[in-house]
Amino acid sequence: MKDASVLIVEDAPEVRMVLTEFLKIIGVRETYECKDGLEALAILNRQLEGDSIIPDIHIMLCDIHMPRMDGISLLREIKKNERLRNLGVIMLSGDGTEEMILDSIQSGADAFIVKPCSLNTIEEKIITFLKKRRIQ
């Protein structure tokens, strides 16, 4: 995981902090934090424009219910963009209804995790995605 970069999109600052610290502990190279989908799109666009401060982001951990732009809308925008569609997306939500899970997967999410969850569950999903893409 030492080569991986993760974008955390979560409106709750305490959840962002826990995720960021956990990702550092498990060896993720870089983490970036956003509080909603609009901030995330801005960071991803900076990456596409060649901003040297933002290296390639491999995975996005994304909440669903956020102000300004929710996670499903962000996911759909990412998957419409040919240059972003290979970004790994793991959706995180306290809304674990079948409808929400299906909507996320049908919109292009690589995984869905119902909150609250263990940090080990997040680690397993990240490792699975990175192995598929051969990013270590």
Side-chain angles (χ1 to χ4, degrees):
M1 280 203 264
K2 64 185 180 354
D3 292 332
S5 293
V6 177
L7 176 62
I8 300 165
V9 188
E10 167 66 60
D11 60 329
E14 59 281 352
V15 175
R16 284 195 312 267
M17 182 186 73
V18 168
L19 289 172
T20 297
E21 291 305 312
F22 175 70
L23 293 172
K24 286 179 188 174
I25 290 168
I26 64 171
V28 169
R29 181 186 72 198
E30 295 284 340
T31 59
Y32 301 92
E33 297 180 24
C34 298
K35 64 181 180 222
D36 62 46
L38 290 178
E39 281 188 11
L41 275 179
I43 283 184
L44 292 168
N45 284 326
R46 283 179 56 194
Q47 174 188 300
L48 291 178
E49 292 166 3
D51 188 330
S52 61
I53 296 172
I54 311 281
D56 287 344
I57 295 170
H58 302 101
I59 298 176
M60 179 175 74
L61 298 177
C62 187
D63 187 20
I64 291 179
H65 300 292
M66 298 179 290
R68 298 191 327 147
M69 178 184 268
D70 66 76
I72 298 292
S73 298
L74 172 61
L75 175 60
R76 289 179 179 143
E77 287 297 313
I78 288 168
K79 296 305 176 177
K80 283 193 310 191
N81 186 316
E82 188 174 316
R83 294 175 59 201
L84 291 174
R85 72 173 51 138
N86 289 326
L87 174 67
V89 180
I90 299 172
M91 303 302 285
L92 301 166
S93 182
D95 183 351
T97 61
E98 184 177 336
E99 179 183 348
M100 188 58 65
I101 295 169
L102 281 174
D103 196 15
S104 296
I105 299 302
Q106 290 172 346
S107 295
D110 294 282
F112 189 100
I113 300 173
V114 178
K115 297 188 290 187
C117 65
S118 73
L119 294 174
N120 289 338
T121 300
I122 295 171
E123 182 179 19
E124 289 169 9
K125 298 289 185 188
I126 291 172
I127 289 170
T128 298
F129 177 80
L130 293 175
K131 282 182 178 177
K132 281 184 193 175
R133 300 289 170 92
R134 293 189 172 92
I135 301 166
Q136 303 287 323

